[in-house]
């Protein structure tokens, strides 16, 4: 039976309610979850795609996030402030209105980030050959730091989307990376100065990698490349600089996200985390968390819980083009948060599972044989290693609820 728009809405609401399993806003607020302005305001446009949604005002985003139980808001400098107002009275006035709206709805701004990729001025990259481009980029970074302090943010993110090229051999990569470090130094210096003047703490500066978009080749394509850059000796304040890995960006180049996060944790540099989902070796599709790789996501959260990660989980996904303006807040955001919390709780079950704990302990204990030669060590341990595959099966069972007695035609 064909349905009118009103009937379609009624159907979607009825089926959403029938899905059940939604957490309350109070429960959701217990997690350090942040909602980006740009995610909720994304209109569905892309190179080959016209927008499918109407523009959304920042006050609506903040109000809707508050109602859903998203406690934190994140933004680019230019998401809300038009270019012509940057650094002028207009900026001051708009930031004041953002602050009021956040206060009114009980949200906090946790992170600010600078758009150094969209405007035509960044065609040759934010750390290009021209001194004036680099000076302009540095000014934008310092200005964003000032906005962050004004809004009470604790994190600044840098996604150097255009730090790369379409042609090999045309730029001096070493020089460009040094210029890029100068930008970070300017931002950290501004932060130290403003923090001192305002009696606030300095912020955590977080680098976000994406391997191959929008440029063909990127100078810092992975979180690991960024770690090398952070520890390169070019940064004046390397202790202030860490990472904001994005789940999908680490997957896009073919890496294991858990392993990327482990390396960041080991270096003490996992400051911030963009959560979403998608596919290996494809575009940055930014699908909402858990819709593609729920088992991997479960394992990621086990790792983060094990190592007490306590930074933000930033909902950096794009509501699909097939979702309407209403659907963004009625379906996209609430279901994303609820899958995250469910996976978080399941991660707790993994950590408390007696089978997994006994298996891990046994693997660590080994056979106790003397480490004399390869063959005897192998022979002494070979039955123990069966536990690897059994543990993988157990993780699947936890994912589908089989550990709680859920059976399928047994
Ligand atoms: C852009 C990118 C995201 C980054 C944003 C922060 S901008 O949308 O694809 O992954 O987190 O600058
Ligand atoms: Mn991101
Ligand atoms: Mn992405």
């Amino acid at each position: 039976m064909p349905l009118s728009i009103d009937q379609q809405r009624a159907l979607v609401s009825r089926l959403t309610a029938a899905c059940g399993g939604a957490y309350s806003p109070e429960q959701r607020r217990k997690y350090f979850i942040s909602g980006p302005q740009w995610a909720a305001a994304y209109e569905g446009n892309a190179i080959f795609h016209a927008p499918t949604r109407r523009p959304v005002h920042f006050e609506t985003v903040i109000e809707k996030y508050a109602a859903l139980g998203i406690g934190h808001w994140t933004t680019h400098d230019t998401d809300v402030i038009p270019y012509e107002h940057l650094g002028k009275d207009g900026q001051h006035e708009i930031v004041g209105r953002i602050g009021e709206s956040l206060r009114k709805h009980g949200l906090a701004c946790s992170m600010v980030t600078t758009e150094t990729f969209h405007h035509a001025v960044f065609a040759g990259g934010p750390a290009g050959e021209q001194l004036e481009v680099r000076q302009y980029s540095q000014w934008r970074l310092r200005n964003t730091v000032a906005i962050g302090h004004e809004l009470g943010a604790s994190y600044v993110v840098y996604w150097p989307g255009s730090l790369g090229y379409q042609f090999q051999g045309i730029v001096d990569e070493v020089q460009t990376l040094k210029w890029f470090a100068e930008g970070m130094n300017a931002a950290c210096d501004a932060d130290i100065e403003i923090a001192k003047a305002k009696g606030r703490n300095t912020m955590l500066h977080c680098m976000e990698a994406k391997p191959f978009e929008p440029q063909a080749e990127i100078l810092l394509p992975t979180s690991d490349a960024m770690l090398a850059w952070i520890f390169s000796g070019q940064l004046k304040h390397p202790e202030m600089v860490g990472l904001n890995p994005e789940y999908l960006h680490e997957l896009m180049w073919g890496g294991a996200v858990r392993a990327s996060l482990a390396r960041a944790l080991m270096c003490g540099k996992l400051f911030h985390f963009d959560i979403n989902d998608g596919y290996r070796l494809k575009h940055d599709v930014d699908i909402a968390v858990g819709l593609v790789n729920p088992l991997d996501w479960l394992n990621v959260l086990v790792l983060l819980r094990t190592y007490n990660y306590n930074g933000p989980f930033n909902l950096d996904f794009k509501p699909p083009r097939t979702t309407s303006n209403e659907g963004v807040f009625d379906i996209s955001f609430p279901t994303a948060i609820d899958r995250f919390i469910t996976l978080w709780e399941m991660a707790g079950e993994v950590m408390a599972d007696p089978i997994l704990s006994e298996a891990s302990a046994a693997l660590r204990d080994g056979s106790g044989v003397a480490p004399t030669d390869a063959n005897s060590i192998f022979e002494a341990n070979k039955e123990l290693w069966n536990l690897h595959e059994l543990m993988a099966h157990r993780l699947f069972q936890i994912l589908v609820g089989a550990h709680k007695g859920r059976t399928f035609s047994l």
Side-chain angles (χ1 to χ4, degrees), residues 9-247:
R9 279 212 184 109
L11 171 75
V12 172
S13 312
R14 186 166 56 74
L15 293 184
T16 305
C19 281
Y23 292 93
S24 69
E26 291 67 39
Q27 284 167 310
R28 292 172 182 158
R29 259 188 285 275
K30 289 186 187 142
Y31 295 83
F32 194 169
I33 291 174
S34 58
Q37 169 64 25
W38 68 86
Y42 170 59
E43 292 166 31
N45 47 304
I47 296 184
F48 296 107
H49 293 157
T52 58
R53 289 186 289 268
R54 301 180 306 277
V56 187
H57 199 271
F58 76 86
E59 286 177 358
T60 308
V61 173
I62 290 173
E63 185 186 338
K64 297 272 189 188
Y65 278 174
L68 288 173
I70 299 175
H72 300 83
W73 181 80
T74 61
T75 189
H76 290 95
D77 54 348
T78 51
D79 285 343
V80 178
I81 305 164
Y83 251 76
E84 61 274 20
H85 288 314
L86 284 173
K88 308 219 171 83
D89 289 350
Q91 168 175 315
H92 191 67
E93 193 255 320
I94 295 168
V95 172
R97 275 198 282 133
I98 294 173
E100 262 170 47
S101 177
L102 290 170
R103 272 190 298 281
K104 178 171 158 202
H105 296 287
L107 260 76
C109 170
S110 52
M111 180 272 271
V112 288
T113 174
T114 314
E115 171 273 302
T116 48
F117 41 86
H118 187 262
H119 193 282
V121 71
F122 301 120
E129 300 94 331
Q130 303 75 29
L131 178 63
E132 59 268 34
V133 170
R134 300 197 301 276
Q135 286 172 330
Y136 176 72
S137 301
Q138 290 187 17
W139 174 77
R140 286 282 299 280
L141 299 184
R142 292 197 311 268
N143 186 54
T144 302
V145 165
I147 295 172
H149 274 293
E150 213 169 318
L151 291 175
S154 313
Y155 299 88
V156 196
V157 161
Y158 304 82
W159 172 55
S162 292
L163 193 73
Y165 35 69
Q166 308 294 355
F167 316 104
Q168 291 290 311
I170 56 156
V171 302
D172 178 337
E173 288 86 346
V174 175
Q175 182 61 69
T176 309
L177 288 169
K178 288 184 179 172
W179 281 332
F180 198 70
E182 286 176 9
M184 181 61 83
N185 291 340
C188 289
D189 282 341
D191 184 9
I192 291 168
E193 201 178 298
I194 302 171
K196 199 168 163 209
K198 287 191 171 249
R200 295 189 77 232
N201 289 332
T202 55
M203 297 189 270
L204 290 170
H205 297 252
C206 318
M207 295 284 292
E208 176 178 346
K210 174 155 52 162
F212 41 72
E213 193 188 49
Q215 300 291 42
E217 301 289 353
I218 301 280
L219 287 185
L220 294 171
T222 62
S223 287
D224 302 296
M226 289 177 162
L227 285 176
W229 178 82
I230 292 169
F231 295 118
S232 67
Q234 295 294 318
L235 296 187
K236 280 169 75 179
H237 307 284
E239 71 289 350
M240 293 170 70
V241 185
L243 298 177
N244 170 42
E246 174 176 306
Y247 178 90

Side-chain angles (χ1 to χ4, degrees), residues 208 210 213 246 248-249 252 274 276 284-286 316 318:
E208 176 178 346
K210 174 155 52 162
E213 193 188 49
E246 174 176 306
L248 180 55
H249 297 175
M252 275 169 76
D274 274 2
N276 57 16
D284 188 22
V285 287
D286 290 332
D316 191 14
K318 292 189 176 69

Side-chain angles (χ1 to χ4, degrees), residues 261-342:
L261 294 170
R263 294 187 291 267
L265 282 166
M266 195 177 67
C267 297
K269 291 299 189 187
L270 186 60
F271 289 180
H272 199 276
F273 187 26
D274 274 2
I275 63 172
N276 57 16
D277 212 337
Y279 303 91
R280 278 195 157 109
L281 303 172
K282 300 254 194 284
H283 294 283
D284 188 22
V285 287
D286 290 332
I287 291 171
V289 55
L291 288 181
V292 182
N293 297 294
L295 181 58
D296 191 48
W297 254 108
L298 171 60
N299 290 327
V300 159
L301 292 179
V302 172
L303 180 83
L304 296 185
R305 288 191 63 165
T306 304
Y307 287 93
N308 300 314
Y309 168 74
N310 61 4
F313 293 98
N314 189 43
L315 292 163
D316 191 14
F317 72 99
K318 292 189 176 69
R321 295 180 83 221
T322 43
T323 292
S324 73
N325 273 75
E326 284 66 28
V328 166
F329 297 110
D330 290 352
I331 296 167
S332 230
F333 277 93
T335 58
I337 304 163
D338 290 351
R339 283 191 305 279
F340 171 81
I341 298 177
T342 303

